[in-house]
């Protein structure tokens, strides 16, 4: 059992203590040891510690306080540029500026990010993933000066935790694991899979605050609405084209 996996929490409040450079380097080295498509390492990590750049990144993440509070912000980018430049310098013509290689580079990027999370937590640091990265990818690309062939995929805030929140729940294994082949869900299974989460005190509080009858309605009417889904999907799709991932 790897303790960091089973004790993982999203940390949204950090102490002002900086992360020592030698600790940060170990964490980044863990990232580059992750599995990767064809050993191509189709990602780049933009490490931000300067307050003025974090201030510019903050609006891209809806001004969540942890962006400016955390000592370290890492933006994980799908990157076909570096490999393509190397190919051309060796007289080889790369053909990676398309959607399937965006998917490959996203896989590489997320694998690297999870290695970094595990090492960071092993070093007594806390992290939080920022899902807002894909909402405002083009704005982030402009702040960080990302060239064609590079696009943000996710972001981590990182630092020493100011306080430790309780563990968040997860669906039971039967809800996500399929043996041998995919087995579609019956209504009874859906009820059973979400039963514990729907019965929790946290859910009861959310229902009261949002004045809605169930948790699913909170997701669809408050957290991730159809209108927002379409808006941010179009924005990210436009960013993909602008950053050179759609030579189809």
């Amino acid at each position: 059992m790897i303790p960091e996996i089973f004790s993982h929490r999203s940390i949204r409040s950090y102490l002002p203590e900086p992360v020592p450079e030698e600790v940060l380097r170990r964490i980044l080295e863990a990232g580059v040891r992750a599995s990767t498509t064809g050993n191509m390492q189709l990602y780049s990590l933009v490490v931000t510690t300067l307050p003025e750049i974090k201030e510019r990144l903050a609006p891209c993440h809806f001004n969540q306080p942890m962006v400016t509070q955390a000592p370290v912000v890492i933006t994980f980018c799908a990157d076909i540029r570096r490999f393509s430049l190397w190919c051309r310098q060796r007289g080889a013509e790369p053909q990676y500026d398309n959607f399937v290689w965006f998917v490959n580079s996203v896989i590489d990027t997320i694998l690297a990010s999870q290695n970094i999370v595990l090492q960071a937590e092993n070093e007594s640091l806390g992290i939080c993933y920022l899902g807002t990265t894909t909402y405002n990818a083009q704005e982030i690309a402009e702040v960080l000066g990302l060239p064609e062939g590079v696009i943000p995929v996710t972001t981590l805030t990182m630092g020493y935790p100011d306080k430790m929140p309780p563990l968040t729940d997860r669906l039971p294994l039967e809800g996500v694991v399929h043996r041998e082949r995919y087995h579609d869900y019956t209504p009874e299974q859906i009820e059973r899979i979400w039963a514990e989460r729907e019965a929790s005190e946290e859910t009861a509080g959310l229902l009261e605050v949002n004045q809605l009858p169930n948790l699913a309605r909170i997701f669809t009417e408050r957290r991730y609405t159809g209108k927002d889904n379409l808006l941010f999907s179009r924005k990210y799709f436009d960013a993909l084209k602008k950053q050179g991932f759609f030579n189809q």
Side-chain angles (χ1 to χ4, degrees):
M1 179 179 290
I2 300 173
E4 289 78 17
I5 291 176
F6 292 92
S7 62
H8 168 72
R9 296 162 168 82
S10 292
I11 303 299
R12 294 178 171 85
S13 181
Y14 300 92
L15 298 171
E17 182 180 348
V19 177
E21 186 60 34
E22 63 273 18
V23 173
L24 182 57
R25 184 174 181 84
R26 283 197 298 270
I27 291 167
L28 297 174
E29 287 176 342
V32 302
R33 293 307 308 166
S35 296
T36 170
T37 305
N39 199 22
M40 295 164 74
Q41 292 182 263
L42 302 170
Y43 56 82
S44 281
L45 318 177
V46 182
V47 180
T48 301
T49 57
L50 292 176
E52 57 266 33
I53 301 181
K54 289 191 286 182
E55 288 286 350
R56 292 182 62 199
L57 284 172
C60 303
H61 297 289
F62 302 151
N63 290 307
Q64 296 178 80
M66 55 192 163
V67 176
T68 53
Q69 185 190 55
V72 179
V73 176
I74 305 177
T75 305
F76 293 82
C77 303
D79 186 344
I80 59 169
R81 183 178 181 83
R82 180 179 60 250
F83 195 82
S84 297
L85 289 173
W86 173 69
C87 286
R88 291 193 179 100
Q89 286 182 208
R90 296 296 183 268
E93 185 53 38
Q95 299 180 50
Y96 306 113
D97 55 345
N98 47 63
F99 185 70
V100 71
W101 281 94
F102 166 69
V103 173
N104 288 337
S105 56
V106 166
I107 293 169
D108 278 13
T109 305
I110 297 303
L111 288 169
S113 75
Q114 188 60 16
N115 264 26
I116 280 177
V117 168
L118 290 172
Q119 185 62 34
E121 292 180 335
N122 181 259
E123 302 274 0
S124 300
L125 292 162
I127 67 92
C128 186
Y129 276 110
L130 301 183
T132 43
T133 306
T134 54
Y135 295 173
N136 294 307
Q138 195 61 58
E139 292 87 341
I140 294 170
E142 290 166 5
V143 171
L144 299 179
L146 304 183
E148 186 175 288
V150 186
I151 190 167
V153 172
T154 193
T155 301
L156 290 179
T157 57
M158 180 187 297
Y160 293 100
D162 182 30
K163 52 189 174 183
M164 294 294 287
L167 286 173
T168 53
D169 67 327
R170 293 292 188 265
L171 295 178
L173 279 184
E174 70 163 310
V176 297
V177 176
H178 302 254
R179 293 296 182 100
E180 313 306 339
R181 57 184 297 275
Y182 192 98
H183 301 278
D184 206 1
Y185 300 95
T186 66
E188 293 75 19
Q189 286 174 316
I190 293 293
E191 292 294 331
R192 188 166 62 251
I193 289 166
W194 264 274
E196 184 175 350
R197 182 172 298 180
E198 291 184 320
S200 70
E201 291 184 11
E202 181 183 5
T203 295
L206 289 171
L207 296 179
E208 183 177 356
V209 168
N210 287 276
Q211 293 295 292
L212 286 170
N214 60 58
L215 186 59
R217 292 272 298 274
I218 292 174
F219 275 90
T220 59
E221 297 177 27
R222 297 286 191 272
R223 291 185 176 178
Y224 307 106
T225 68
K227 180 180 177 182
D228 286 345
N229 294 339
L230 289 176
L231 170 66
F232 294 124
S233 290
R234 288 170 182 145
K235 283 190 67 178
Y236 200 59
F237 187 77
D238 288 344
L240 281 174
K241 290 189 288 185
K242 186 172 182 180
Q243 294 302 111
F245 285 91
F246 260 83
N247 180 22
Q248 306 303 319

